[in-house]
Amino acid sequence: MKFLNYSMKKAYYLLFVLLIGCSKNPEDLKQHLTGYWEISEVILKDGTKKQYSINETIDYIEITEDTLGFRKKMKPNFNGTYETSKDTEHFVVKIEKDSLNLYYKTPFSSWKETVLHASKDKLQVINQNKVLYLYKRYTPITID
């Protein structure tokens, strides 16, 4: 029974990735990347899901040129401002085989992420370890 359950989770995960990965022109996805993104869910390679209902930090992603960009961790404050980390992860944007790929390189590591979906409100990215990240556009909390 455990094998069947594991196989079904894996099949569901692969079907999910294939369905969302084939739906957009990669060039069109770039226009939606810039902005503040809050992680909502992570799906591991084996189908295990982790929900994020509250996030202390969000990601700011910006495409600075046609083929260059960066991502930075931000901590939102209640007054509408952000505290920013000093670390910036720069990436190179490449369209390869009908996919939009982001190639990161830091002094500590290098990795590739593929943008599966990007719209005004949602972002879905998968890394080389087949971990799927689902983001929603961050909406600041304002207290009057």
Side-chain angles (χ1 to χ4, degrees):
M1 276 318 241
K2 268 189 173 182
F3 176 75
L4 182 62
N5 191 18
Y6 174 76
S7 295
M8 289 177 66
K9 280 184 179 180
K10 195 167 187 175
Y12 167 75
Y13 171 78
L14 291 174
L15 179 63
F16 179 74
V17 168
L18 287 173
L19 286 175
I20 60 175
C22 300
S23 63
K24 295 277 185 182
N25 175 354
E27 191 66 43
D28 293 341
L29 300 176
K30 283 188 346 185
Q31 68 181 328
H32 298 292
L33 286 180
T34 296
Y36 296 92
W37 294 99
E38 180 177 19
I39 195 160
S40 59
E41 185 176 10
V42 174
I43 304 174
L44 303 178
K45 184 178 180 178
D46 68 0
T48 303
K49 294 181 182 182
K50 183 171 182 185
Q51 299 283 335
Y52 290 83
S53 56
I54 298 175
N55 295 299
E56 288 189 23
T57 61
I58 59 172
D59 288 343
Y60 178 73
I61 300 172
E62 185 174 324
I63 303 289
T64 56
E65 297 178 27
D66 190 44
T67 60
L68 299 174
F70 69 90
R71 177 170 57 190
K72 201 169 182 109
K73 292 287 182 191
M74 311 289 280
K75 185 175 181 181
N77 295 318
F78 288 113
N79 64 3
T81 63
Y82 299 91
E83 291 177 36
T84 182
S85 68
K86 294 179 182 170
D87 299 323
T88 301
E89 298 170 337
H90 293 275
F91 57 80
V92 174
V93 180
K94 292 184 181 181
I95 295 177
E96 302 168 310
K97 297 181 184 177
D98 296 327
S99 294
L100 179 60
N101 296 311
L102 308 177
Y103 288 89
Y104 290 86
K105 188 170 185 176
T106 69
F108 309 105
S109 183
S110 61
W111 67 97
K112 171 185 154 186
E113 293 180 342
T114 300
V115 178
L116 300 175
H117 177 79
S119 66
K120 185 178 95 173
D121 299 318
K122 296 190 185 293
L123 175 63
Q124 297 170 348
V125 177
I126 192 165
N127 67 17
Q128 72 264 12
N129 297 323
K130 306 295 184 222
V131 177
L132 179 65
Y133 295 88
L134 295 102
Y135 293 86
K136 61 184 177 182
R137 184 75 67 175
Y138 176 72
T139 305
I141 299 169
T142 54
I143 298 176
D144 296 325

